[in-house]
Amino acid sequence: MAANFWTSSHFEQLLDPEEVDVVHQLDKDKGLTLEEFKLIKMHMTNCVFPFLCILKLAQSVKVRQRVVATAVTYMRRVYTRFGSVEASVFLYIVCYESLTIVFHFSFRKSMSEYDPRLIAPTCLYLASKAEESTVQARLLVFYIKKLNSDEKYRYEIKEILEMEMKILEALNYYLVVFHPYRTLAQMLQDAGINDTSMTQLSWGLVNDTYKMDLILIHPPYLIALACMYIASVHREKDITTWFEELRVDMNVVKNISMEILDFYENYKISDERINAAFSKLDFKP
């Protein structure tokens, strides 16, 4: 993995919000709205019965939170136009020098073709390998069958492995993901925060940001700062001076904070809403 976020593929692939909030045309044709698109992604990140999701499965196979976060990032990338045009210049001689530009495109995948109920566990499987915390495919399949009440979505090893290759292609084989956790720990220490309740709240806020697309849009350190900012206000900890000493645009930090608070205020999952969204997508007959 790249040691520096600023030289990594993660940084190179950061997107604008308008590039993330786009529903694939195939899904649009089936009546899926942007709100339903967001709802399905959020639901597959952190859902409860009757649907299987990344967090529920991760708790069963006992992987680290970092693996969960990476899996969620992969899943969100699959349904996003992940990967900007990349140009590599090669000079070669035939009878003369010529210049060849190689472009690498990655197109967003539709939920109609890439079933979220298979994408979610497969992303967890792939993330466990990328984060060197490998989960055996047979163990994953065992818990998929144990936890999933719907026979149609109790997948076999072959289906997980086949989808893994499709996900790798969809991601253009870019598997590097930087998360806010390490930065958050360093910043809490730097700010002199020894309050356990504020530390736990900040950590919980970071976990909840993976229910949104923030990791595809903002550098991890800004997400960590936004979570610290919210926690400091909520716990009435005055670290204004510390924030002022940072060389960051506090307007950006506050805007991210508002996105997080808006999410808590407006995004509520109900069985009716999620069932209505899934019913628009034609999965296995």
Side-chain angles (χ1 to χ4, degrees):
M1 176 180 285
N4 187 335
F5 169 75
W6 304 107
T7 60
S8 71
S9 59
H10 186 160
F11 170 66
E12 293 173 357
Q13 305 301 329
L14 288 179
L15 300 168
D16 294 328
E18 57 269 21
E19 293 179 291
V20 174
D21 292 336
V22 178
V23 181
H24 194 284
Q25 189 59 50
L26 287 177
D27 297 333
K28 277 185 181 179
D29 292 343
K30 293 183 179 180
L32 195 73
T33 66
L34 178 57
E35 289 305 307
E36 289 171 329
F37 175 62
K38 291 180 179 180
L39 186 66
I40 289 176
K41 289 191 293 181
M42 179 173 65
H43 183 72
M44 297 311 299
T45 299
N46 187 32
C47 63
V48 294
F49 181 84
F51 296 116
L52 184 63
C53 67
I54 290 174
L55 182 59
K56 192 177 184 72
L57 191 56
Q59 290 170 341
S60 298
V61 297
K62 295 179 172 59
V63 293
R64 296 173 297 145
Q65 178 60 35
R66 182 182 178 88
V67 177
V68 177
T70 297
V72 172
T73 304
Y74 289 167
M75 183 192 71
R76 291 182 175 277
R77 284 176 174 177
V78 166
Y79 298 119
T80 305
R81 187 199 61 76
F82 175 68
S84 56
V85 177
E86 184 182 71
S88 301
V89 179
F90 301 93
L91 289 178
Y92 62 92
I93 299 177
V94 182
C95 296
Y96 51 85
E97 284 191 340
S98 64
L99 186 64
T100 302
I101 308 295
V102 180
F103 295 98
H104 302 282
F105 295 94
S106 180
F107 300 101
R108 73 177 70 246
K109 305 303 179 184
S110 74
M111 290 184 170
S112 302
E113 294 180 311
Y114 283 64
D115 182 349
R117 292 163 179 154
L118 178 54
I119 289 290
T122 307
C123 283
L124 182 63
Y125 176 62
L126 179 59
S128 74
K129 293 196 287 187
E131 296 293 349
E132 299 180 350
S133 185
T134 304
V135 173
Q136 296 297 321
R138 63 176 179 271
L139 180 63
L140 200 67
V141 167
F142 170 79
Y143 280 107
I144 288 174
K145 292 181 177 181
K146 182 178 180 180
L147 297 171
N148 204 331
S149 60
D150 192 334
E151 289 286 342
K152 292 188 295 183
Y153 304 106
R154 300 177 74 179
Y155 297 105
E156 301 294 341
I157 294 176
K158 179 182 177 182
E159 292 171 289
I160 296 290
L161 297 181
E162 288 176 351
M163 183 53 73
E164 179 188 20
M165 296 309 299
K166 292 180 180 179
I167 290 173
L168 282 168
E169 290 179 5
L171 298 178
N172 259 348
Y173 299 90
Y174 289 127
L175 301 181
V176 172
V177 181
F178 283 79
H179 298 289
Y181 298 110
R182 180 181 297 179
T183 303
L184 176 64
Q186 294 171 341
M187 289 181 171
L188 285 168
Q189 183 178 9
D190 186 64
I193 301 298
N194 299 312
D195 187 325
T196 302
S197 65
M198 181 171 163
T199 299
Q200 290 177 340
L201 178 56
S202 299
W203 207 268
L205 287 164
V206 169
N207 287 342
D208 283 346
T209 63
Y210 287 90
K211 299 175 185 177
M212 298 166 271
D213 288 311
L214 296 179
I215 195 67
L216 306 185
I217 301 169
H218 302 289
Y221 82 96
L222 288 177
I223 297 173
L225 283 174
C227 293
M228 275 186 67
Y229 180 75
I230 295 172
S232 68
V233 172
H234 190 73
R235 293 289 187 252
E236 297 183 346
K237 295 289 182 181
D238 187 4
I239 53 174
T240 305
T241 302
W242 181 81
F243 274 113
E244 290 175 348
E245 292 174 352
L246 298 177
R247 294 182 179 179
V248 297
D249 187 341
M250 282 305 296
N251 288 326
V252 175
V253 173
K254 290 177 181 178
N255 286 340
I256 297 173
S257 301
M258 291 305 297
E259 286 187 63
I260 297 170
L261 295 174
D262 180 68
F263 167 82
Y264 286 127
E265 181 70 23
N266 296 311
Y267 283 91
K268 309 296 181 185
I269 293 181
S270 68
D271 287 345
E272 286 185 5
R273 290 182 67 196
I274 194 64
N275 285 331
F278 271 112
S279 68
K280 294 181 179 181
L281 303 176
D282 294 328
F283 295 125
K284 292 180 180 178

